[in-house]
Amino acid sequence: MFEESKNKSFLGFDFSTQRLKALVINEDYNVLHEADVEFDVDLPEFRTAGGVVRGEKGEVTAPPLLWVKALDMVLDRLIVAGLDFSTVYAISGAAQQHGSVWWSKDAEAKLGSLSSDDFLHTQLASAFLCDSPVWMDSSTSADCRALEEAMGGPEELAKITGSRAYERFTGPQIRKMFRTRPRVYQAAPRISLVSSFACSLFLGKIAPIDLADGSGMNLLDIRTMQWDERALKACGDESLIHKLGAAVPSASDVGPVSAYFVQRYGFRPDCRVVAFTGDNCSALAGLRLRSGWIGLSLGTSDTLLLGLTEPAAPAAGHVLVGPTPDAPYMALLCFANGSLTRQNHRDRLVGPSWEAFNELLRSTVRGNMGFMGVYYDTAEIVPRRAAARLLQASGGRAVQAGAPAAEARALLEGQALARRAHAEDLHFTIGPSSKLIATGGAAANKEFLQIFADVFNVPVYVLGEHGNAALLGAAVRAAAVWSRDAAVSLPGSEPTLTPVATPYPDHDAIYTPMLARYRQIIQEMPRLH
């Protein structure tokens, strides 16, 4: 049954906040099958809203059994879609970052002795000690402050772990569990991230945390790639290092798929499991970013992903260990004012038509005759500023409003300048081989992408493949690690990029002075503490 198949395929999963998605690609990296399970709709018995359960005082959790049952369902949906699991040579996955899964003492024994006659969720019902705190949880402010204090301040913590302390990060979440629910902390032999938990289901034992997702915990020294002793001590006790286990490079083959999947679904016994990672890390892999390349996801919030050769100590944003050999480190900058802010001002300036808004942009010139604006409809994360709007005419004179066309361009140029300025703060340098790869809803707008091309002085491309970069990245990583270890080159490994915008030659003369003005404007805006 398992002779060398001509049709090799690779399976990726994305355990995101609201749904579990699966994607199968072939050797050309073309999509063969897709399936998904929406938690609120398909699994109403868990009573989630948006995939989570909201508690008191900022607590937000999800039941891990929800994710297990969703996996049972999505595998059945792949069968219905026509997938022959014996063609799958490797599996990997992505998951929402920062969430933690607390295993019970007999969980690993259960994972290793699953009966192929039953669903996973019926056999793992008692494998978890509590619901999992997830990235939306904001109940750990006191733990963040204590961790920063123990490490010698936020800058020192960022220098070591790649980020100052954030409420959603796993280290502060573990500290809160240690402090408020000591029985759960003591009883858990192992703590997983959502990514390594999902990987464990396929491996039949507790899977290691990967270095990229492990860098989103405030616990890993991103230079030595080891857990930092001081951070561990600040968040737990001497048992924490054993509960976490050793972290592995993200491009690691962690073992063959467990017998359960071979017997129940007909997977090949030699199907390899590649370490699962965080969704942002997986997106970088899906975009195939290299050092000096920029990934820009234009969504509700805008996310900038940068491939770096060296780690920086970010005052804002995050530096993580890279998930692929092409980018040893990655930076992640999340801007709260993205598509919703663009839409609000489009509605204000021209009504609900992007075409009318683009007409305004086309009627203006690059640099906008010196008219600039910073629009924060909601409190901004990078940099940390309160909601505000600040407009300047040329020469830096403050104004209350401008002509609709001038404001339209000021909004977009202001956003592009912000993305570039904060990338430069992480020592990101734009070189001759740099590219910007745009994804997300607004990546369909050529006028927007032209502004980003000019401000960054790089050509802009869109990915010709699947729109969900994190999900595609999961399948791509499975294929890349399998092909590396099998010494077989796959025809689809180069991304299909479509060029959409090229910078005009006068970009430097226009945007270098505006970059300095942007930095000045944000100094005048009310800060968030």
Side-chain angles (χ1 to χ4, degrees), residues 392-464:
Q392 281 187 359
S394 63
R397 182 171 52 83
V399 292
Q400 287 306 301
E407 281 214 47
R409 180 169 279 276
L411 168 68
L412 264 296
E413 285 187 336
Q415 288 191 334
L417 287 162
R419 311 305 179 251
R420 178 169 172 179
H422 298 291
E424 287 179 354
D425 290 346
L426 293 168
H427 309 307
F428 180 78
T429 47
I430 292 161
S433 64
S434 291
K435 293 177 168 68
L436 191 151
I437 302 167
T439 66
N445 191 318
K446 299 271 172 68
E447 304 295 328
F448 289 9
L449 299 185
Q450 185 60 54
I451 290 173
F452 278 95
D454 289 327
V455 170
F456 272 87
N457 183 27
V458 291
V460 175
Y461 296 80
V462 290
L463 200 58

Side-chain angles (χ1 to χ4, degrees), residues 255-279:
V257 73
S258 94
Y260 173 85
F261 294 92
V262 177
Q263 291 155 14
R264 187 172 174 91
Y265 296 101
F267 275 87
R268 309 169 58 83
D270 62 352
C271 172
R272 307 308 298 178
V273 179
V274 173
F276 285 29
T277 191
D279 51 10

Side-chain angles (χ1 to χ4, degrees), residues 144 147-165 218-223 228 230-231 312-315:
C144 289
L147 173 58
E148 287 183 342
E149 205 171 299
M151 298 296 286
E155 290 77 17
E156 189 61 21
L157 181 66
K159 199 163 86 182
I160 295 165
T161 70
S163 300
R164 50 180 50 209
N218 279 138
L219 296 175
L220 188 86
D221 182 325
I222 59 172
R223 285 170 180 77
D228 182 81
R230 278 193 305 160

